Amino acid sequence: MIPYGRQNIDKDDIDAVVEVLRSDFLTQGPAIPAFEEAVAKKVDARYVSAVNSATSALHISVAALGLGPGDILWTSPVTFVASANCARYCGADVDFVDIDPDTFNMCPKALEQKLIEAEKSGSLPKIIVPVHMCGQSPDMRQISKLARSYGIKIVEDASHAIGASYDAAPVGSSQYSDITVFSFHPVKIVTSGEGGVAVTNDPEIASRFELLRSHGITRNSDLMTGASDGPWYYQQIELGWNYRITDIQAALGRSQLTRLERFVERRNALATEYDQLLKNSEIVLPGRDPLARSSFHLYVVRLPKADPKRHRSVFESLRASGIGVNLHYIPVHLQPYYQRLGFASGDFPVAEDYYHRAISIPLYPDLTEKQQDHVVKSLEVALAL
Ligand SMILES: *Cc1c(COP(=O)(O)O)cnc(C)c1O
C-alpha cells in the first residue's frame, strides 16, 4: 500500500535518539531547549514551548489567552477535531466559520458576516483558530484585520504548515496572530514521534506556556507568593497539566528540522507534478493563494461535484489498487459529540460539499515518480468506472 503520508527517518535521526538514550536525561534535559531554539530559528518566532502533541499545544495556547466557561472559540469545520476540542477542555463553547471552496481554509467573507451577526446577538468569540489546511496559510491578512477590529485573539493551527510561508514571512512568525501551533506527528512535515509546539512573540504568553505545560509549577521566585523556603523549593501557582515532551522526542525533532527545507521543496515539487499530470482530468485541483507558499502536508483533489456514491467507489477502487487515499476531514460539526452540542448537517454547506468530494492522494518526500504515476493512473481508472 502506498500511504497518503509517511515519515522520513535517516541515520542522523537514529543517532540523535540513541545519543539521548545514553545520556543523563531522558526528559527535562538539554535536548528540549535545543529543539525549541532550532524551531524558533526556522519559523522566526521569539518564544517556543515544546509539548507532547499539537493538541496539548492548542490547549495551553487557548488557556494562556484566558479562555474559559462562557467564552466562545471559532474555528474551521474542515480540520482535525483538536482545533475545536481545545475550547471544550477549557469549558468554552465552539462555533465554526465555513470554508473557502478553493483553498479549504476559513473563508474571510463568511467570517465577516458571522462577526456582524455575533456582535448583534452578543455572541462574539474570544479566540479564532484559523487552520492552515494542507499546509497553505489561510487569508491571515483579512482574518487578522477582522479579528483585531473586534478585539479577538488569534491562534493559528499550523499543524500542517511548518516550513510554509505567507506574505514573505515564515508561518510561525505570527505577524497576524498571537500564537502559532505546529504538530510533529509522523504524518506531518517533520516528526518527533508525538509532539508539538506553541510559539509566540509575547513574553507574557510564553511565561504562561511554561507554567501550564508542567502542572502550573514554577521555580522562579519572582512569580512566587512569599519567599522561597530553600534550594528545593517550588510553588504550584495555578492549575496546569503534564504536557512535557521528552528529550528523546526533542532530539528526533531537532534532527528532522535540519531537513525541513528539503522536505518542503520535495513536497512542492511532487505537488506541481500532480498539477501537471492531472490538469486534463475532470478532477478538481487544490487552489493556491499567491501570497502563500504551502508546505504541502496534503494534496487534496475533488470530484467535479458532490456525489457520495461515486466518491465512495473511487475510494474503494484506489484502496483496492494499493493507494492509501484518505479523507481530510470529516467536518467537525458532523461528529456525534458536536451534534450532541446542537450542530446539525447543513450548518456549514461549503464544508459539507467539500466532504462529499475530497480525496487526499499520497504525498510525502520519499514518494517516487513511479509511485506517483501509479497513483495518477489508478485515479484515472477509478474515475472511469
Ligand atoms: C495533526 C493535527 C492536530 C493535532 O496534532 P497532534 O500533534 O496529533 O496532537 C491538530 N490540528 C490539526 C489541523 C492537525 O492536522
Side-chain angles (χ1 to χ4, degrees), residues 214-275:
S214 193
H215 309 280
I217 284 175
T218 185
R219 289 176 187 278
N220 178 353
S221 55
D222 296 343
L223 299 177
M224 290 180 187
T225 60
S228 166
D229 289 354
W232 65 86
Y233 198 60
Y234 62 82
Q235 277 186 351
Q236 185 196 340
I237 57 174
E238 54 182 294
L239 185 64
W241 302 278
N242 180 355
Y243 283 167
R244 294 188 305 258
I245 193 168
T246 65
D247 281 55
I248 305 165
Q249 294 165 304
L252 175 56
R254 184 174 170 221
S255 174
Q256 288 258 309
L257 269 186
T258 63
R259 308 202 294 291
L260 176 63
E261 285 80 12
R262 245 193 286 165
F263 290 159
V264 171
E265 246 163 54
R266 176 72 182 149
R267 286 174 174 278
N268 270 273
L270 287 164
T272 304
E273 185 64 17
Y274 270 138
D275 288 349

Side-chain angles (χ1 to χ4, degrees), residues 53-56 58 79-80 82-83 131 157 159-160 183-185 188 194-196 297 329:
S53 71
T55 302
S56 304
L58 284 163
T79 184
F80 185 57
S83 318
V131 178
D157 184 346
S159 288
H160 298 181
S183 171
F184 304 120
H185 182 279
K188 307 287 163 74
E194 293 277 1
H297 164 53
Y329 292 92

